[in-house]
Amino acid sequence: MEEFLRKFQVPQVVGEQAREYHRLAEVKCSAAVRGLSSTALALICIELACTQLGEPIDKKQTQKLSGLQPKAYLTAYQTVEKLLSVSSRVTLRELAVRFGYLEAEELAEEVLHSYKQHMGVKYTAAQKEALDFDRPLYPTAALYAACKLLKIRCDKTKFFNAASCARSMFQNVLDEMNKCAPKDIDEFKSKQRKTSKSHKEVSAPERLDQEADVEASEGTHPEAKKARREPLECRILSNPLGQEYLAWKEKIIKEARAKMKP
């Protein structure tokens, strides 16, 4: 455990949460995790702690180091998550704040709503009952689809890792969402500007930041490289609702510490 915590350079609070998950897993889930190596269990607990506290981690690397195949690792991860009663539910707002894409939240909500209606028509009653739209997969895919529709530069791998599912499943849901997403994005943007002045104020700094990233890749913006090196927390504070990210992170950390108290 300690070796991997150092390898991934996770913050102290995440390390504490990972150790607590590991302790509980050995006590509560002894039968369920009997087939897992100590290495695999340690990595699952570290990834689980990072996910719960909003700390990025290379999930592909944790799977490789575990010695398990991708499908087996995902199954083991979900088993430990369920037995520890760790909720993986996440809202669009939480994702938008965590990733810094507040300007895409409204369109993501519309994409997700259209997707739910689309699946309601496509699926049978039994299939619809099996769908759980509170899973991270659906809001994460909706936010990514919205970012692409708005031509916001974003890292697909980051979204995939947050979805906690197989890559093929994430892509399938994304493909279906693209089919039922709004077709006239210009009309949506126009409506967005008219109905939400405050939303416009938030998105303006973000758009400037995105433009700086684009210009940096082309080598035309003198300050872009400096801006791209700034931590996300510093960059989002430049807009009126930037404090939401830090407030969300502080809340998650406090909840994790409270759970660890005897």
Side-chain angles (χ1 to χ4, degrees), residues 74-133:
L74 180 60
T75 300
Y77 178 92
Q78 292 173 338
T79 299
V80 174
E81 181 183 51
K82 183 176 180 180
L83 291 172
L84 290 180
S85 300
V86 177
S87 174
S88 60
R89 298 178 186 275
V90 64
T91 65
L92 268 171
R93 167 48 63 102
E94 288 172 343
L95 286 170
V97 171
R98 184 195 303 180
F99 292 153
Y101 297 123
L102 286 168
E103 63 191 285
E105 182 188 0
E106 188 176 343
L107 178 56
E109 288 176 349
E110 189 166 331
V111 169
L112 185 56
H113 178 69
S114 298
Y115 176 77
K116 289 178 179 179
Q117 291 183 321
H118 170 70
M119 299 309 287
V121 174
K122 181 178 179 180
Y123 276 12
T124 64
Q127 288 175 318
K128 282 186 284 187
E129 287 182 6
L131 286 173
D132 181 4
F133 289 112

Side-chain angles (χ1 to χ4, degrees), residues 1-256:
M1 169 73 77
E2 300 305 319
E3 178 185 349
F4 293 122
L5 289 173
R6 288 193 296 270
K7 179 179 179 62
F8 289 107
Q9 298 180 333
V10 300
Q12 182 179 353
V13 66
V14 176
E16 292 172 356
Q17 184 67 71
R19 293 186 191 96
E20 179 64 8
Y21 282 152
H22 192 267
R23 183 186 71 79
L24 291 172
E26 290 183 323
V27 174
K28 293 183 177 182
C29 317
S30 56
V33 301
R34 192 170 294 153
L36 290 177
S37 67
S38 58
T39 296
L41 182 59
L43 287 162
I44 286 172
C45 291
I46 291 172
E47 183 181 327
L48 195 56
C50 286
T51 300
Q52 290 301 304
L53 297 178
E55 186 68 26
I57 187 171
D58 186 343
K59 296 189 178 185
K60 190 173 182 180
Q61 184 71 356
T62 58
Q63 176 264 309
K64 282 185 177 180
L65 292 172
S66 73
L68 299 173
Q69 292 298 315
K71 195 169 183 179
Y73 180 82
L74 180 60
T75 300
Y77 178 92
Q78 292 173 338
T79 299
V80 174
E81 181 183 51
K82 183 176 180 180
L83 291 172
L84 290 180
S85 300
V86 177
S87 174
S88 60
R89 298 178 186 275
V90 64
T91 65
L92 268 171
R93 167 48 63 102
E94 288 172 343
L95 286 170
V97 171
R98 184 195 303 180
F99 292 153
Y101 297 123
L102 286 168
E103 63 191 285
E105 182 188 0
E106 188 176 343
L107 178 56
E109 288 176 349
E110 189 166 331
V111 169
L112 185 56
H113 178 69
S114 298
Y115 176 77
K116 289 178 179 179
Q117 291 183 321
H118 170 70
M119 299 309 287
V121 174
K122 181 178 179 180
Y123 276 12
T124 64
Q127 288 175 318
K128 282 186 284 187
E129 287 182 6
L131 286 173
D132 181 4
F133 289 112
D134 288 326
R135 288 178 59 192
L137 165 62
Y138 299 105
T140 303
L143 185 61
Y144 179 76
C147 286
K148 298 306 289 183
L149 288 168
L150 293 172
K151 298 182 179 178
I152 299 173
R153 292 184 60 184
C154 55
D155 183 357
K156 186 176 182 180
T157 299
K158 179 170 65 174
F159 283 83
F160 164 69
N161 288 339
S164 298
C165 67
R167 188 175 293 274
S168 58
M169 183 181 295
F170 181 75
Q171 189 59 52
N172 288 340
V173 170
L174 194 58
D175 291 341
E176 289 292 331
M177 285 186 173
N178 286 328
K179 291 178 184 177
C180 50
K183 303 303 178 186
D184 193 340
I185 300 303
D186 290 334
E187 181 181 344
F188 175 84
K189 288 180 179 178
S190 177
K191 182 177 70 172
Q192 190 180 47
R193 285 194 293 269
K194 291 177 182 177
T195 59
S196 182
K197 182 180 177 182
S198 62
H199 194 79
K200 180 181 178 182
E201 291 173 352
V202 172
S203 64
E206 291 292 332
R207 282 199 302 273
L208 290 173
D209 191 55
Q210 299 294 337
E211 289 168 6
D213 282 350
V214 173
E215 290 173 345
S217 67
E218 297 172 352
T220 60
H221 196 292
E223 296 296 324
K225 290 184 179 179
K226 179 181 176 182
R228 293 178 74 185
R229 288 196 299 267
E230 291 180 353
L232 175 61
E233 291 181 7
C234 295
R235 295 164 68 187
I236 64 173
L237 283 175
S238 63
N239 71 59
L241 294 181
Q243 289 284 352
E244 284 197 41
Y245 171 79
L246 296 182
W248 167 80
K249 191 169 186 178
E250 183 64 23
K251 176 187 173 185
I252 295 297
I253 290 174
K254 284 182 179 178
E255 289 176 354

